[in-house]
Amino acid sequence: LKKYGFQATFFIPTQILHGEAFFWWEIMDQLFWEQETLPDTLALRLGNDSFISETASALAARRPRTENTWSANTQPPPTAYCRLYVELCDWIKKRSPDDQQMITRKLRDWCKDKPPAASRKMHPGQIRELSREGFEIGAHTIHHPALGFQAYDIQQQEIAGSKQELEIRIEKEVTTLAYPHGHMNQDTMAIARQAGYRWACTTEGAGIKRTSDPLALPRIWVKNMDGASLERTLAAIFKR
């Protein structure tokens, strides 16, 4: 980015600044796609809420070649195994940050073939370096919950708390927020406005227009594509 003179914003979930090495979806990938099998039963219980599923039928109907080319972000699940993955992800996504941390520990216990290694995250010094180099540091909450499913006080803590910590770390004002999973509601936007954010991004795949709400900006997912493909994608979006 620096070599070619591009600007960029790095959205930081601040839990990575405190040695919390895992997000739940990283362990899900380890569990479903990097080990040979699953526990006979996937059972997660949180008070009166639970996810329980037997895995035998999903495992028996696996089609690895199909599953290996599947994109969970853009395509419906082609097999029962993929559907189980999506259903569990959707259930976890709606839980509170505290519940998600407990779930993450349980998911790690299920990774018997190969305990998940800590994926590398930026440390505070690297984030400060990015900021000094002229790149924008934006907030991405503390624990990366899907905000629209959370209680008001949890949303407030996640949105305001991440901003405050990042500002202390980089000694600059943080004015941009990306909603985790693109999920938000009217309370989310109101809290972001009250916290002092000027811009906030969703995951809606569209172009920004003069009429776009600055606290609900769309973004375009740029896949691994060549320049001509990107040009066609942009042309199609901005012709809408």
Side-chain angles (χ1 to χ4, degrees):
L1 290 168
K2 183 179 177 182
K3 177 180 177 180
Y4 291 105
F6 282 103
Q7 294 297 308
T9 301
F10 291 79
F11 293 106
I12 309 295
T14 53
Q15 81 165 53
I16 70 171
L17 306 178
H18 301 281
E20 297 183 51
F22 298 100
F23 290 104
W24 62 264
W25 60 88
E26 295 173 321
I27 315 301
M28 282 287 291
D29 285 349
Q30 171 85 26
L31 180 65
F32 273 76
W33 311 117
E34 296 183 30
Q35 70 175 32
E36 293 298 322
T37 190
L38 296 174
D40 293 337
T41 303
L42 297 178
L44 295 167
R45 294 180 178 85
L46 299 168
N48 295 325
D49 197 2
S50 63
F51 181 96
I52 301 174
S53 179
E54 304 297 325
T55 62
S57 59
L59 286 165
R62 290 202 67 181
R63 301 202 308 270
R65 183 174 297 180
T66 299
E67 293 163 0
N68 288 343
T69 59
W70 171 59
S71 170
N73 290 318
T74 60
Q75 298 171 328
T79 67
Y81 190 79
C82 294
R83 187 161 56 251
L84 176 60
Y85 171 84
V86 169
E87 289 171 354
L88 182 51
C89 283
D90 287 346
W91 186 82
I92 297 172
K93 190 183 298 183
K94 298 175 183 178
R95 309 282 74 82
S96 72
D98 286 346
D99 286 345
Q100 288 181 354
Q101 289 179 315
M102 288 189 289
I103 290 167
T104 299
R105 290 193 288 270
K106 182 63 175 177
L107 294 175
R108 290 186 66 185
D109 290 341
W110 286 339
C111 292
K112 299 299 185 185
D113 289 358
K114 179 184 175 185
S119 59
R120 294 179 62 189
K121 308 290 193 299
M122 285 192 289
H123 58 68
Q126 291 171 320
I127 293 170
R128 285 192 294 271
E129 181 183 357
L130 281 171
S131 180
R132 286 195 299 267
E133 292 287 353
F135 295 108
E136 182 181 17
I137 301 300
H140 204 30
T141 71
I142 299 172
H143 299 102
H144 202 281
L147 290 167
F149 294 120
Q150 307 303 319
Y152 188 93
D153 59 334
I154 292 177
Q155 291 199 55
Q156 197 167 42
Q157 179 183 359
E158 291 284 332
I159 292 170
S162 57
K163 182 179 192 295
Q164 292 166 4
E165 176 163 10
L166 287 171
E167 289 177 339
I168 291 170
R169 297 281 187 176
I170 66 173
E171 299 181 331
K172 292 180 183 177
E173 186 180 11
V174 172
T175 60
T176 307
L177 168 70
Y179 302 119
H181 308 287
H183 200 271
M184 33 74 85
N185 56 27
Q186 291 301 312
D187 282 345
T188 316
M189 295 172 65
I191 293 167
R193 186 177 292 108
Q194 293 165 6
Y197 291 101
R198 300 194 189 108
W199 315 96
C201 299
T202 68
T203 54
E204 178 191 0
I208 296 173
K209 301 179 180 178
R210 292 181 182 275
T211 56
S212 297
D213 187 328
L215 290 174
L217 295 176
R219 287 186 290 177
I220 299 164
W221 182 23
V222 180
K223 302 179 184 179
N224 185 15
M225 60 177 70
D226 59 24
S229 299
L230 176 59
E231 187 174 2
R232 288 193 297 270
T233 299
L234 293 174
I237 287 171
F238 284 99
K239 283 179 182 177
R240 293 174 187 170

